């Protein structure tokens, strides 16, 4: 799955599953009163989570992390 596919899926669905380097990931987000949160699980273990901010900022922050995977 390309970075654009992941970005578009999170923007529209708030959740996407994908494989990267032979590992399975779940990226999901939700709105709370203090902002949007985005979390990444790798094979059922939480490996990254944003602080509350706008959805666009969360996605940008995730891709900074994702580029280091």
């Amino acid at each position: 799955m390309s970075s654009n596919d992941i970005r578009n899926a999170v923007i529209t669905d708030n959740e996407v599953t994908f494989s990267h380097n032979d590992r399975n990931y779940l990226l999901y987000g939700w709105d709370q009163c203090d902002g949007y949160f985005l979390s990444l699980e790798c094979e059922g273990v939480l490996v990254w989570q944003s602080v509350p901010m706008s959805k666009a900022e969360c996605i940008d922050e995730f891709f900074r992390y994702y580029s280091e995977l």
Side-chain angles (χ1 to χ4, degrees):
M1 180 174 269
S2 74
S3 294
N4 283 338
D5 291 337
I6 293 170
R7 182 181 300 271
N8 290 337
V10 171
I11 288 170
T12 59
D13 299 329
N14 293 328
E15 183 176 301
V16 62
T17 58
F18 62 94
S19 294
H20 180 69
N21 293 333
D22 296 323
R23 302 191 85 182
N24 296 316
Y25 290 90
L26 170 64
L27 179 65
Y28 57 95
W30 67 96
D31 279 306
Q32 284 192 186
C33 61
D34 53 349
Y36 190 80
F37 286 81
L38 198 56
S39 296
L40 179 68
E41 292 184 6
C42 179
E43 306 195 357
V45 176
L46 182 66
V47 294
W48 178 86
Q49 187 172 55
S50 70
V51 297
M53 57 181 87
S54 74
K55 191 173 195 176
E57 289 171 317
C58 284
I59 292 168
D60 289 343
E61 185 74 21
F62 167 73
F63 278 103
R64 282 191 284 279
Y65 174 81
Y66 181 74
S67 67
E68 298 174 8
L69 287 178

